[in-house]
Amino acid sequence: MTVMKTVAAAALVLGAQAVQAQSIPTTGTLVIVPANGEVRAPNDQAVATLAIEEQDKDKAAAASRVNQKMKQGLDILKKEDPQARLKTQGYYTYPVYPEDRPVPMGGTPKRPQPVAWRVGQYVEMTTTSLGTLPKTVAAAQKILTLNNIQFGLSPEATRKLDDQRIAVTYRNLNERIASIASAMGRKTSDAVLETVDFEGTGNYAGREMAPAAPMMMMRAAKDTAEVAEPSFEPGETTLDMRLVGKVRFK
């Protein structure tokens, strides 16, 4: 009997505490509500970096071959993918020094002289023609070298996806407000949304930039070499968003 009385007393205390918690006034309460949204879409754009590099004892000869082959590579890219956007960049010229530099006994080290010159250039291709991308790259690889490739969303696809992202995030905010109102013993209609902050999170996903291409260490293939088509999987991009809403209960 003593145990049963103790349990009954504890139940009465907990019940009284629950009633007291439910009776806490919430009129005028300001609630900060975070919300999240996420949308996904297949990547529809590729940014490929191709390059050419030549080495020769004659700096002018190396530069001349680079200029000629880059022009040939650009012509191939334009022919295979007329809609692609091309941008040449990263032209460089570096001296090549001998690996062994003997120092005469008791003498002063001489200033090393270059034994050759390495000259190269990059071209960046941006395209939405993903279906023909392997064929385009393989054709260009007869002269140029594929240095880097990044897949992502085109500006048009990003804008469309952004509309969905905002809608999904705002829906999540309404769902959370409804849950909070229920937990507080209030009706959703008692909640007034005072502020929605889309900029305070610092989350700006989806703005990807391709990393700078590293320097090539190998020469490009010969013009006559046939190159098998590479395999690409564009994948998908996920864009997420966080917003913060301020809700006041009447």
PDB file of all heavy atoms in Angstrom, residues 225-242:
ATOM      1  N   ALA A 225      47.547  11.286 -83.671  1.00  0.00           N
ATOM      2  CA  ALA A 225      47.150  10.229 -82.735  1.00  0.00           C
ATOM      3  C   ALA A 225      45.636  10.206 -82.566  1.00  0.00           C
ATOM      4  O   ALA A 225      45.005  11.234 -82.403  1.00  0.00           O
ATOM      5  CB  ALA A 225      47.822  10.446 -81.387  1.00  0.00           C
ATOM      6  N   GLU A 226      45.071   9.005 -82.625  1.00  0.00           N
ATOM      7  CA  GLU A 226      43.642   8.845 -82.392  1.00  0.00           C
ATOM      8  C   GLU A 226      43.412   8.632 -80.901  1.00  0.00           C
ATOM      9  O   GLU A 226      44.132   7.879 -80.250  1.00  0.00           O
ATOM     10  CB  GLU A 226      43.104   7.649 -83.186  1.00  0.00           C
ATOM     11  CG  GLU A 226      43.112   7.853 -84.689  1.00  0.00           C
ATOM     12  CD  GLU A 226      42.163   8.956 -85.132  1.00  0.00           C
ATOM     13  OE1 GLU A 226      41.154   9.153 -84.446  1.00  0.00           O
ATOM     14  OE2 GLU A 226      42.444   9.608 -86.154  1.00  0.00           O
ATOM     15  N   VAL A 227      42.402   9.273 -80.371  1.00  0.00           N
ATOM     16  CA  VAL A 227      42.111   9.193 -78.942  1.00  0.00           C
ATOM     17  C   VAL A 227      40.706   8.630 -78.750  1.00  0.00           C
ATOM     18  O   VAL A 227      39.750   9.119 -79.352  1.00  0.00           O
ATOM     19  CB  VAL A 227      42.207  10.585 -78.271  1.00  0.00           C
ATOM     20  CG1 VAL A 227      41.893  10.473 -76.788  1.00  0.00           C
ATOM     21  CG2 VAL A 227      43.586  11.175 -78.495  1.00  0.00           C
ATOM     22  N   ALA A 228      40.585   7.589 -77.940  1.00  0.00           N
ATOM     23  CA  ALA A 228      39.268   7.033 -77.640  1.00  0.00           C
ATOM     24  C   ALA A 228      38.461   8.039 -76.836  1.00  0.00           C
ATOM     25  O   ALA A 228      39.011   8.837 -76.073  1.00  0.00           O
ATOM     26  CB  ALA A 228      39.419   5.732 -76.858  1.00  0.00           C
ATOM     27  N   GLU A 229      37.154   7.995 -77.011  1.00  0.00           N
ATOM     28  CA  GLU A 229      36.299   8.944 -76.305  1.00  0.00           C
ATOM     29  C   GLU A 229      36.342   8.682 -74.798  1.00  0.00           C
ATOM     30  O   GLU A 229      36.241   7.536 -74.349  1.00  0.00           O
ATOM     31  CB  GLU A 229      34.852   8.831 -76.798  1.00  0.00           C
ATOM     32  CG  GLU A 229      34.648   9.288 -78.228  1.00  0.00           C
ATOM     33  CD  GLU A 229      33.193   9.276 -78.629  1.00  0.00           C
ATOM     34  OE1 GLU A 229      32.340   9.054 -77.743  1.00  0.00           O
ATOM     35  OE2 GLU A 229      32.901   9.481 -79.821  1.00  0.00           O
ATOM     36  N   PRO A 230      36.514   9.732 -73.999  1.00  0.00           N
ATOM     37  CA  PRO A 230      36.491   9.554 -72.541  1.00  0.00           C
ATOM     38  C   PRO A 230      35.062   9.323 -72.056  1.00  0.00           C
ATOM     39  O   PRO A 230      34.099   9.590 -72.762  1.00  0.00           O
ATOM     40  CB  PRO A 230      37.042  10.890 -72.025  1.00  0.00           C
ATOM     41  CG  PRO A 230      36.671  11.875 -73.083  1.00  0.00           C
ATOM     42  CD  PRO A 230      36.752  11.135 -74.391  1.00  0.00           C
ATOM     43  N   SER A 231      34.944   8.818 -70.846  1.00  0.00           N
ATOM     44  CA  SER A 231      33.630   8.591 -70.232  1.00  0.00           C
ATOM     45  C   SER A 231      33.396   9.638 -69.155  1.00  0.00           C
ATOM     46  O   SER A 231      34.255   9.863 -68.294  1.00  0.00           O
ATOM     47  CB  SER A 231      33.560   7.188 -69.623  1.00  0.00           C
ATOM     48  OG  SER A 231      33.739   6.200 -70.621  1.00  0.00           O
ATOM     49  N   PHE A 232      32.222  10.271 -69.207  1.00  0.00           N
ATOM     50  CA  PHE A 232      31.875  11.296 -68.232  1.00  0.00           C
ATOM     51  C   PHE A 232      30.546  10.959 -67.569  1.00  0.00           C
ATOM     52  O   PHE A 232      29.633  10.451 -68.222  1.00  0.00           O
ATOM     53  CB  PHE A 232      31.762  12.673 -68.891  1.00  0.00           C
ATOM     54  CG  PHE A 232      33.038  13.170 -69.511  1.00  0.00           C
ATOM     55  CD1 PHE A 232      33.084  13.545 -70.844  1.00  0.00           C
ATOM     56  CD2 PHE A 232      34.198  13.257 -68.767  1.00  0.00           C
ATOM     57  CE1 PHE A 232      34.259  14.006 -71.421  1.00  0.00           C
ATOM     58  CE2 PHE A 232      35.380  13.714 -69.326  1.00  0.00           C
ATOM     59  CZ  PHE A 232      35.405  14.088 -70.657  1.00  0.00           C
ATOM     60  N   GLU A 233      30.441  11.229 -66.288  1.00  0.00           N
ATOM     61  CA  GLU A 233      29.187  11.134 -65.549  1.00  0.00           C
ATOM     62  C   GLU A 233      28.915  12.503 -64.941  1.00  0.00           C
ATOM     63  O   GLU A 233      29.533  12.867 -63.933  1.00  0.00           O
ATOM     64  CB  GLU A 233      29.268  10.060 -64.458  1.00  0.00           C
ATOM     65  CG  GLU A 233      29.332   8.633 -64.965  1.00  0.00           C
ATOM     66  CD  GLU A 233      28.046   8.201 -65.644  1.00  0.00           C
ATOM     67  OE1 GLU A 233      26.993   8.828 -65.375  1.00  0.00           O
ATOM     68  OE2 GLU A 233      28.079   7.249 -66.437  1.00  0.00           O
ATOM     69  N   PRO A 234      28.010  13.294 -65.520  1.00  0.00           N
ATOM     70  CA  PRO A 234      27.785  14.667 -65.044  1.00  0.00           C
ATOM     71  C   PRO A 234      27.316  14.757 -63.599  1.00  0.00           C
ATOM     72  O   PRO A 234      27.606  15.737 -62.906  1.00  0.00           O
ATOM     73  CB  PRO A 234      26.711  15.200 -66.009  1.00  0.00           C
ATOM     74  CG  PRO A 234      26.855  14.352 -67.225  1.00  0.00           C
ATOM     75  CD  PRO A 234      27.241  12.999 -66.738  1.00  0.00           C
ATOM     76  N   GLY A 235      26.577  13.740 -63.124  1.00  0.00           N
ATOM     77  CA  GLY A 235      26.096  13.787 -61.737  1.00  0.00           C
ATOM     78  C   GLY A 235      24.998  14.814 -61.549  1.00  0.00           C
ATOM     79  O   GLY A 235      24.332  15.237 -62.499  1.00  0.00           O
ATOM     80  N   GLU A 236      24.806  15.250 -60.313  1.00  0.00           N
ATOM     81  CA  GLU A 236      23.755  16.215 -60.006  1.00  0.00           C
ATOM     82  C   GLU A 236      24.262  17.216 -58.982  1.00  0.00           C
ATOM     83  O   GLU A 236      25.290  17.012 -58.329  1.00  0.00           O
ATOM     84  CB  GLU A 236      22.502  15.518 -59.474  1.00  0.00           C
ATOM     85  CG  GLU A 236      22.695  14.787 -58.159  1.00  0.00           C
ATOM     86  CD  GLU A 236      21.428  14.116 -57.674  1.00  0.00           C
ATOM     87  OE1 GLU A 236      20.471  13.980 -58.463  1.00  0.00           O
ATOM     88  OE2 GLU A 236      21.386  13.732 -56.485  1.00  0.00           O
ATOM     89  N   THR A 237      23.531  18.302 -58.877  1.00  0.00           N
ATOM     90  CA  THR A 237      23.872  19.359 -57.919  1.00  0.00           C
ATOM     91  C   THR A 237      22.747  19.513 -56.912  1.00  0.00           C
ATOM     92  O   THR A 237      21.569  19.469 -57.262  1.00  0.00           O
ATOM     93  CB  THR A 237      24.107  20.699 -58.650  1.00  0.00           C
ATOM     94  OG1 THR A 237      25.292  20.593 -59.437  1.00  0.00           O
ATOM     95  CG2 THR A 237      24.284  21.842 -57.655  1.00  0.00           C
ATOM     96  N   THR A 238      23.113  19.677 -55.653  1.00  0.00           N
ATOM     97  CA  THR A 238      22.147  19.922 -54.584  1.00  0.00           C
ATOM     98  C   THR A 238      22.281  21.366 -54.120  1.00  0.00           C
ATOM     99  O   THR A 238      23.371  21.810 -53.777  1.00  0.00           O
ATOM    100  CB  THR A 238      22.387  18.978 -53.394  1.00  0.00           C
ATOM    101  OG1 THR A 238      22.235  17.625 -53.842  1.00  0.00           O
ATOM    102  CG2 THR A 238      21.388  19.255 -52.274  1.00  0.00           C
ATOM    103  N   LEU A 239      21.159  22.076 -54.133  1.00  0.00           N
ATOM    104  CA  LEU A 239      21.126  23.438 -53.615  1.00  0.00           C
ATOM    105  C   LEU A 239      20.286  23.444 -52.348  1.00  0.00           C
ATOM    106  O   LEU A 239      19.159  22.944 -52.341  1.00  0.00           O
ATOM    107  CB  LEU A 239      20.506  24.400 -54.645  1.00  0.00           C
ATOM    108  CG  LEU A 239      21.209  24.520 -55.996  1.00  0.00           C
ATOM    109  CD1 LEU A 239      20.485  25.531 -56.875  1.00  0.00           C
ATOM    110  CD2 LEU A 239      22.659  24.924 -55.823  1.00  0.00           C
ATOM    111  N   ASP A 240      20.833  23.975 -51.279  1.00  0.00           N
ATOM    112  CA  ASP A 240      20.063  24.059 -50.041  1.00  0.00           C
ATOM    113  C   ASP A 240      19.949  25.515 -49.617  1.00  0.00           C
ATOM    114  O   ASP A 240      20.636  26.397 -50.113  1.00  0.00           O
ATOM    115  CB  ASP A 240      20.674  23.201 -48.925  1.00  0.00           C
ATOM    116  CG  ASP A 240      22.115  23.594 -48.630  1.00  0.00           C
ATOM    117  OD1 ASP A 240      22.579  24.616 -49.151  1.00  0.00           O
ATOM    118  OD2 ASP A 240      22.770  22.872 -47.863  1.00  0.00           O
ATOM    119  N   MET A 241      19.029  25.746 -48.693  1.00  0.00           N
ATOM    120  CA  MET A 241      18.770  27.107 -48.221  1.00  0.00           C
ATOM    121  C   MET A 241      18.324  27.060 -46.770  1.00  0.00           C
ATOM    122  O   MET A 241      17.637  26.119 -46.358  1.00  0.00           O
ATOM    123  CB  MET A 241      17.688  27.766 -49.084  1.00  0.00           C
ATOM    124  CG  MET A 241      17.225  29.130 -48.579  1.00  0.00           C
ATOM    125  SD  MET A 241      16.009  29.893 -49.675  1.00  0.00           S
ATOM    126  CE  MET A 241      17.082  30.420 -51.014  1.00  0.00           C
ATOM    127  N   ARG A 242      18.746  28.036 -46.011  1.00  0.00           N
ATOM    128  CA  ARG A 242      18.260  28.210 -44.641  1.00  0.00           C
ATOM    129  C   ARG A 242      17.686  29.608 -44.517  1.00  0.00           C
ATOM    130  O   ARG A 242      18.247  30.572 -45.032  1.00  0.00           O
ATOM    131  CB  ARG A 242      19.386  28.032 -43.623  1.00  0.00           C
ATOM    132  CG  ARG A 242      19.913  26.618 -43.507  1.00  0.00           C
ATOM    133  CD  ARG A 242      20.815  26.460 -42.291  1.00  0.00           C
ATOM    134  NE  ARG A 242      20.081  26.561 -41.046  1.00  0.00           N
ATOM    135  CZ  ARG A 242      20.231  27.524 -40.142  1.00  0.00           C
ATOM    136  NH1 ARG A 242      21.093  28.509 -40.349  1.00  0.00           N
ATOM    137  NH2 ARG A 242      19.533  27.528 -39.036  1.00  0.00           N
TER     138      ARG A 242
END
